[in-house]
């Protein structure tokens, strides 16, 4: 693994630690200090919408003018927004900060995978993407689980839960500025591996992108029906509230992050495409089995196994998608593949919530499994031959 690549990946740890904490602040804490559920939802939606709207134009900028300064500026904007959360609880200001955070995320998703692909080759790309995946999931998971220790810390120090949240926001927000500083130091002398010429060359491999998009859309739509709602499903199915399911989900986020390390070994043994199909298909079977599990503890265990298997395929899929496109198109491709997953995923979550509200607790699993099957079948049909070419370094 190239030393600069390892340091680049580790440099994002402070930023994603703060991102994980912000997720729990927006999703759970704000409603305990006077915000309505509608306001909390609006903040989360604003971030997501800003990410989607910013991703494609920033992807074109990445391919046209280069990635290193865009990723530094995106990290700087993200750090500023994260620190801003420690300065105010005014809804209008928080809404603006969420938009900035979404734009920063848009800059990240258009440049990060593309930059990692530029800095690697077929021999080490799977390992690099897996390390990146581990770092993101583990640090985000730690940020999510931090509030679990606040009651004990507050009792020991004699401070309120509100103060602990505010001080943690300040500390993590300040620490997140480490990321853009280190990125700048590592990339300031880096010469882009392709020749950004100030003029966008356009997207040439549209058919390949549409094939990737078909897989992303179907799996993203299917996952949306239940995966973001699994905490609510635990409550409806077993009567388990979030004080029990929340820590389990946060801890699983940390543990399953490490499962991505197995992905490159599976790819070396079975080939990249077969490894993706193997772990994604297995995760689908575990997800489907949750519909029939009778007790919470078993359902939680099955969910963790399902997530571990699915997370093994994530870095492999990212590595594959970056390998089948030339360097000058990777920024836009990274943006578009993210958008093609996120939009149907969000729509699926809305429909899944509607179905759960009707009391049809098994139906989301059936729909998700059917869509997974369609997406995986399409991926095999579209890329079985291309995967062999990628394995030998052919575009």
């Amino acid at each position: 693994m190239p030393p600069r690549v390892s340091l680049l990946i580790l440099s994002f740890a402070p930023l994603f630690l703060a991102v994980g904490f912000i997720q729990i602040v927006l999703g759970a804490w704000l409603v305990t200090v006077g915000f309505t559920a509608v306001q909390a939802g609006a903040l989360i939606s604003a971030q997501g919408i800003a990410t989607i709207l910013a991703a494609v134009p920033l992807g074109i900028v990445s391919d046209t003018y280069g990635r290193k300064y865009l990723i530094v500026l995106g990290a700087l904007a993200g750090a500023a927004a994260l620190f801003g959360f420690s300065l105010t609880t005014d809804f209008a200001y928080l809404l603006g900060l969420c938009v900035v955070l979404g734009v920063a995320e848009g800059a990240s998703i258009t440049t990060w995978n593309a930059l990692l692909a530029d800095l690697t080759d077929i021999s080490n790309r799977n390992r690099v993407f897996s390390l990146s995946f581990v770092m993101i999931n583990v640090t985000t998971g730690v940020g999510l689980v931090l509030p679990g220790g606040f009651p004990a810390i507050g009792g020991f120090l004699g401070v309120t839960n509100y103060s602990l949240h505010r001080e943690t926001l300040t500390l993590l927000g300040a620490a997140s500025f480490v990321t853009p500083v280190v990125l700048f130091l590592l990339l300031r002398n880096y010469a882009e591996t392709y020749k950004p010429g100030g003029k966008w060359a356009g997207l040439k491999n549209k058919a390949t992108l549409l094939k990737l998009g078909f897989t992303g859309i179907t799996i993203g739509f299917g996952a949306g029906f239940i995966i973001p709602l699994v905490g609510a499903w635990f409550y409806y199915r077993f009567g388990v509230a979030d004080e029990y399911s929340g820590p389990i989900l946060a801890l699983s986020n940390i543990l399953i992050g490490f499962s991505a390390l197995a992905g490159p070994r599976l790819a070396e043994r079975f080939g990249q495409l077969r490894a993706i199909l193997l772990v994604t298909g297995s995760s689908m079977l575990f997800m489907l089995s949750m519909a029939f599990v009778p007790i919470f503890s078993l359902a939680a265990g099955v969910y963790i196994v399902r997530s571990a298997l699915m997370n093994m395929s994530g870095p492999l899929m990212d590595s594959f998608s970056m390998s089948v496109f030339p360097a000058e198109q990777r920024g836009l491709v990274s943006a578009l593949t993210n958008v093609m997953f996120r939009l149907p995923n969000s729509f699926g979550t809305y429909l899944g919530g509607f179905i759960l509200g009707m009391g049809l607790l098994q139906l989301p699993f059936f729909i998700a499994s059917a869509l997974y099957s369609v997406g995986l079948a399409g991926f095999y049909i579209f890329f079985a031959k291309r995967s062999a070419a990628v394995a030998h370094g052919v575009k």
Side-chain angles (χ1 to χ4, degrees):
M1 177 133 0
R4 175 158 52 184
V5 175
S6 300
L7 292 173
L8 282 171
I9 291 172
L10 292 175
S11 72
F12 265 99
L15 190 65
F16 277 104
L17 183 64
V19 167
F21 187 69
I22 284 295
Q23 288 179 10
I24 203 70
V25 165
L26 294 176
W29 180 65
L30 287 180
V31 295
T32 70
V33 294
F35 283 71
T36 67
V38 173
Q39 288 177 313
L43 293 175
I44 296 171
S45 296
Q47 180 184 344
I49 292 170
T51 299
I52 291 171
L53 292 178
V56 172
L58 289 178
I60 295 174
V61 171
S62 169
D63 289 337
T64 305
Y65 297 102
R67 319 193 201 286
K68 63 180 183 179
Y69 295 120
L70 180 58
I71 199 168
V72 171
L73 290 173
L76 182 61
L82 290 166
F83 185 75
F85 280 97
S86 69
L87 303 177
T88 182
T89 55
D90 183 275
F91 175 74
Y93 287 120
L94 293 182
L95 193 64
L97 291 172
C98 284
V99 171
V100 174
L101 194 60
V103 173
E105 185 180 357
S108 174
I109 64 176
T110 61
T111 54
W112 183 235
N113 283 347
L115 182 63
L116 290 182
D118 293 345
L119 289 165
T120 56
D121 54 37
I122 296 299
S123 67
N124 59 8
R125 190 165 292 152
N126 286 335
R127 293 194 296 275
V128 166
F129 274 79
S130 294
L131 178 60
S132 170
F133 194 84
V134 170
M135 180 279 298
I136 292 171
N137 277 271
V138 172
T139 52
T140 303
V142 171
L144 282 167
V145 83
L146 282 178
F150 284 179
I153 297 173
F156 179 75
L157 298 178
V159 295
T160 64
N161 183 269
Y162 180 87
S163 297
L164 282 171
H165 277 81
R166 303 300 303 175
E167 294 302 322
T168 303
L169 283 169
T170 301
L171 179 62
L172 294 180
S176 64
F177 282 97
V178 170
T179 298
V181 172
V182 175
L183 285 174
F184 175 76
L185 294 175
L186 290 171
L187 294 173
R188 68 186 189 280
N189 295 322
Y190 166 66
E192 304 277 6
T193 56
Y194 66 103
K195 302 296 183 183
K199 183 179 180 181
W200 185 46
L203 184 63
K204 300 180 177 65
N205 300 353
K206 296 182 180 67
T208 302
L209 179 63
L210 289 174
K211 293 173 183 178
L212 278 174
F214 176 83
T215 302
I217 289 169
T218 51
I219 291 181
F221 188 39
F225 274 87
I226 190 59
I227 300 306
L229 299 167
V230 72
W233 181 81
F234 282 144
Y235 176 74
Y236 287 128
R237 178 69 176 83
F238 303 109
V240 175
D242 61 352
E243 61 260 30
Y244 296 101
S245 62
I248 288 176
L249 296 177
L251 181 60
S252 72
N253 203 71
I254 298 172
L255 296 177
I256 63 183
F258 289 106
S259 69
L261 294 174
R265 297 190 180 188
L266 290 173
E268 290 173 3
R269 181 171 181 179
F270 299 105
Q272 194 174 41
L273 181 135
R274 286 193 181 95
I276 292 171
L277 293 173
L278 175 65
V279 295
T280 307
S282 300
S283 76
M284 179 195 70
L285 295 177
F286 276 92
M287 177 180 66
L288 179 61
S289 70
M290 287 179 65
F292 307 100
V293 171
I295 58 175
F296 169 70
S297 58
L298 181 58
V302 171
Y303 174 76
I304 290 174
V305 174
R306 173 263 161 206
S307 298
L309 288 167
M310 193 66 190
N311 284 345
M312 288 181 196
S313 71
L316 299 180
M317 184 67 83
D318 288 340
S319 174
F320 179 83
S321 64
M322 290 295 96
S323 298
V324 297
F325 285 91
E328 65 273 13
Q329 296 183 21
R330 287 171 179 163
L332 180 59
V333 168
S334 182
L336 289 173
T337 53
N338 272 276
V339 169
M340 286 188 286
F341 180 90
R342 284 184 177 219
L343 280 177
N345 184 262
S346 299
F347 186 56
T349 301
Y350 173 78
L351 295 176
F354 182 76
I355 292 171
L356 289 180
M358 295 173 61
L360 303 173
L361 302 186
Q362 291 182 316
L363 183 57
F365 293 99
F366 299 153
I367 296 174
S369 298
L371 288 167
Y372 266 55
S373 299
V374 172
L376 290 175
F379 183 68
Y380 177 78
I381 293 169
F382 295 145
F383 294 109
K385 293 182 180 179
R386 177 66 66 89
S387 178
V390 170
H392 292 89
V394 179
K395 291 290 188 293

